[in-house]
Amino acid sequence: MTQPIIVFDLDGTLIDTAPDLLDSLNHSLAASEIAAVDEAGFRRFVGHGGRVMIERAHAAHQRSLAVEEHDRLLKLFLDHYTLNIPGKSRPYPGVVEAIARFEEAGYTLAICTNKYEANSLALIEALGLTKHFAAIAGQDTFAFRKPDPRHLIETIKLAGGDPHRALMVGDSQTDIDTAKAAGIPVVAVDFGYTDRHVREFEPSAVISHFDALTLDLAQRLIAAAGN
């Protein structure tokens, strides 16, 4: 029997990347002579990606963006972010211990993220975590991305896992909708990047710390999905 697999989202789930993404946002905004954003006010938009963050920052100043200018600022954002990996980004409390716990129990681990694959690989490598994951799939790994359920299913297959013995862990409506569409149970962390509480999206379970991602919880959710 194929060993069970846990697939994690990356930003806002495994790794707190907000400080670096906001630094890159402010770097790009400087090119438009827009004041730096406040972390507390913009942190909830981090999970939507650089393009949306740039758009929201301009809208806050009643500034419109031509497509060409938006593309230019996004390139500044991505270049700055890429050159500064890993920056201040760090695993959330309990992540390293959870990885060890599930590895010891024989689980396969993987990452399915809408971050670009190259940046995802670079970040996980810089943090010394690459060896723990059988697959790391980004938004450009396949011809589709979350919330398309194929992104999750193909990540599982790439890692050598079985979608019928899988669990997703994420921080957003996108993660939850993806897992549901794939018929896979999903645990939502409530400390990630979302402007609404994850409980509103009805995940299989909600946790506030990785210590709560126990073997018992994972086993129960996977078993229930198989019934």
Side-chain angles (χ1 to χ4, degrees):
M1 182 180 292
T2 305
Q3 60 194 48
I5 182 169
I6 299 184
V7 183
F8 298 92
D9 174 54
L10 186 53
D11 296 48
T13 300
L14 280 180
I15 311 297
D16 183 8
T17 54
D20 298 306
L21 293 169
L22 289 166
D23 281 351
S24 295
L25 172 62
N26 286 327
H27 173 76
S28 71
L29 293 179
S32 291
E33 298 183 346
I34 287 182
V37 301
D38 173 63
E39 179 174 346
F42 256 77
R43 191 178 179 90
R44 67 186 186 277
F45 297 126
V46 167
H48 296 286
R51 185 174 291 277
V52 171
M53 292 167 68
I54 291 167
E55 181 181 352
R56 296 289 175 89
H58 280 73
H61 289 270
Q62 290 78 50
R63 295 269 295 271
S64 59
L65 268 174
V67 173
E68 295 80 5
E69 178 66 359
H70 205 164
D71 290 343
R72 184 180 77 87
L73 295 178
L74 180 61
K75 185 178 187 306
L76 287 174
F77 173 96
L78 291 172
D79 287 348
H80 182 271
Y81 179 75
T82 300
L83 288 171
N84 288 281
I85 290 174
K88 305 167 192 171
S89 297
R90 296 293 183 271
Y92 282 102
V95 163
V96 173
E97 292 81 1
I99 287 172
R101 182 162 63 248
F102 282 96
E103 279 188 327
E104 185 176 346
Y107 280 68
T108 298
L109 306 179
I111 292 171
C112 179
T113 174
N114 278 348
K115 197 184 196 76
Y116 286 106
E117 180 184 292
N119 283 345
S120 302
L121 293 170
L123 176 61
I124 293 300
E125 177 64 28
L127 294 174
L129 299 174
T130 303
K131 64 183 180 181
H132 301 294
F133 298 100
I136 300 174
Q139 67 161 269
D140 50 341
T141 302
F142 308 111
F144 34 78
R145 55 182 283 189
K146 297 182 295 185
D148 190 318
R150 293 176 296 173
H151 192 181
L152 175 55
I153 291 169
E154 292 304 315
T155 299
I156 291 169
K157 292 179 179 178
L158 186 63
D162 179 355
H164 296 101
R165 302 195 71 211
L167 176 67
M168 174 80 185
V169 181
D171 74 307
S172 68
Q173 181 178 6
T174 297
D175 296 321
I176 295 165
D177 288 349
T178 301
K180 286 183 175 181
I184 292 170
V186 54
V187 173
V189 302
D190 65 4
F191 46 75
Y193 311 142
T194 176
D195 52 358
R196 293 167 59 189
H197 196 284
V198 287
R199 196 176 301 281
E200 294 183 34
F201 311 123
E202 300 182 347
S204 309
V206 176
I207 61 172
S208 299
H209 192 286
F210 268 92
D211 286 353
L213 186 64
T214 62
L215 291 170
D216 178 67
L217 175 62
Q219 289 163 359
R220 284 191 288 108
L221 293 177
I222 293 172
N227 291 336

